[in-house]
Amino acid sequence: RIDRMLDAIIARESARVEEGLPLLAIVATASPFVGLFGTVWGIMDAFQAIAIQQNTNLTVVAPAIAEALFATAIGLAAAIPAY
């Protein structure tokens, strides 16, 4: 009787845990791409700032590159635990 009760509890808890698995899989697969998209976006902004100001000084490029790296870090922070 205890064995059947434990099997039922284990089955119920397994089903409860598995409910969020599809969402976790979507986050795990999509977040690296979101981070890479943010990186590309930031680098494009950096090039656009260079073109507008016609200056390759670090103060022109650094904010956009920092934003791109931050977006990459956020994507990885979501992806690594999800995997």
Side-chain angles (χ1 to χ4, degrees):
R1 186 173 171 176
I2 292 173
D3 191 36
R4 279 186 280 138
M5 187 87 129
L6 285 175
D7 286 342
I9 292 171
I10 289 171
R12 185 177 36 213
E13 289 299 315
S14 294
R16 192 179 67 98
V17 168
E18 289 174 359
E19 284 177 7
L21 206 54
L23 178 64
L24 185 62
I26 290 170
V27 169
T29 56
S31 55
F33 296 109
V34 171
L36 288 174
F37 179 73
T39 302
V40 171
W41 190 280
I43 291 172
M44 287 172 48
D45 282 346
F47 284 139
Q48 191 174 30
I50 289 171
I52 290 171
Q53 296 188 6
Q54 296 179 351
N55 186 0
T56 57
N57 193 357
L58 186 60
T59 58
V60 173
V61 180
I65 297 297
E67 185 179 332
L69 292 176
F70 182 71
T72 303
I74 295 296
L76 289 175
I80 290 172
Y83 277 127

